[in-house]
Amino acid sequence: MAEMKFEDALKKLEKIVGDLESGELSLDEALKKYQEGIELSRQCSQRLDNAKKKIDVLTKNKKGDFELKPLSESQDQEQDA
């Protein structure tokens, strides 16, 4: 499947879910749509993971100084507090 913009992939995925929920597709059509939806879901998830890795969070340490940390590390500290 060709790469498409995240927003376009998400819209297409929402359309597929709607089509599947309608119950009007034949079994073959439903399976084809389901497979396409799984691939789109995988692409969207991968893009979100890549975007998350790029996000850094500016936080204040105990001394009051600001420091950049990866988002996941910042979230871990919030949960520990």
Side-chain angles (χ1 to χ4, degrees):
M1 181 176 288
E3 285 282 324
M4 63 176 63
K5 290 175 44 178
F6 175 81
E7 293 80 6
D8 293 339
L10 190 58
K11 282 182 185 175
K12 192 167 185 175
L13 183 58
E14 289 172 346
K15 169 83 169 88
I16 288 171
V17 169
D19 290 346
L20 289 171
E21 289 179 343
S22 74
E24 297 177 4
L25 300 174
S26 69
L27 179 59
D28 288 339
E29 291 171 326
L31 288 173
K32 186 176 176 182
K33 292 254 182 189
Y34 180 80
Q35 189 173 7
E36 185 179 359
I38 292 294
E39 180 58 33
L40 286 168
S41 173
R42 192 173 295 132
Q43 284 182 17
C44 288
S45 179
Q46 190 173 32
R47 290 227 176 141
L48 288 173
D49 287 343
N50 289 340
K52 188 175 176 182
K53 289 175 186 173
K54 292 179 182 176
I55 296 173
D56 288 331
V57 176
L58 188 61
T59 60
K60 219 176 205 180
N61 63 21
K62 292 179 182 176
K63 295 179 183 176
D65 299 325
F66 287 102
E67 54 190 13
L68 279 173
K69 293 185 176 182
L71 179 61
S72 60
E73 189 176 322
S74 175
Q75 288 175 332
D76 291 343
Q77 288 179 348
E78 286 179 14
Q79 292 174 353
D80 293 341

